[in-house]
Amino acid sequence: MSQTKTNARKCAVQALYQWQMSGESLNRIEAYFLEDEMLKGAQKSYFHDIFHGVPKQLDVIDAVLAEFVDRPVEKIDPVERAILRIGVYELINRLETPYRVIINEGVNLAKCYGAEGSHKYINGILDKVSQKKRATEIQAKRGAKKS
């Protein structure tokens, strides 16, 4: 797991939270992160991909989440919602990243930024999404373990 990608995800959670709460333009928020050197130690291209990718695919991401969450997506705590959206985005679009890494990163983000115990909720939802979106990868992993 790359620390620069982890840092990119941390910045993406903060930036998406800011976007969700303020409605400010993505470019303006990204410029703020660049100007204040908040992306120091982060893979900037990964941050950019996630931060711009989630809003572009918001309808698809939220439709996936709606299948597995216990309330309307908009009623999920804004920090947890940002973390879940990043996780779903990566599960759908970043196929080079193993699903377990994406789940673990989501859990760690929740432990860092979410409410107490929110990591359990994040883990459960991303695990269910993985079962659907990464079924082939999961089956291959299980088959490799049996050999």
Side-chain angles (χ1 to χ4, degrees), residues 97-113:
T97 305
Y99 77 96
R100 292 299 314 152
V101 169
I102 295 167
I103 293 172
N104 289 338
E105 289 283 301
V107 166
N108 289 333
L109 288 169
K111 286 178 179 177
C112 185
Y113 299 109

Side-chain angles (χ1 to χ4, degrees), residues 103-137:
I103 293 172
N104 289 338
E105 289 283 301
V107 166
N108 289 333
L109 288 169
K111 286 178 179 177
C112 185
Y113 299 109
E116 187 175 333
S118 66
H119 67 281
K120 296 173 190 173
Y121 183 71
I122 299 294
N123 184 62
I125 300 302
L126 292 180
D127 187 57
K128 290 175 186 173
V129 173
S130 295
Q131 299 293 322
K132 182 172 184 176
K133 296 297 180 184
R134 296 281 189 98
T136 304
E137 180 183 347

Side-chain angles (χ1 to χ4, degrees), residues 56-74:
K56 278 184 192 165
Q57 295 183 13
L58 197 58
D59 290 342
V60 171
I61 291 168
D62 285 356
V64 169
L65 282 173
E67 291 181 53
F68 302 104
V69 295
D70 57 350
R71 62 199 120 177
V73 173
E74 290 303 317

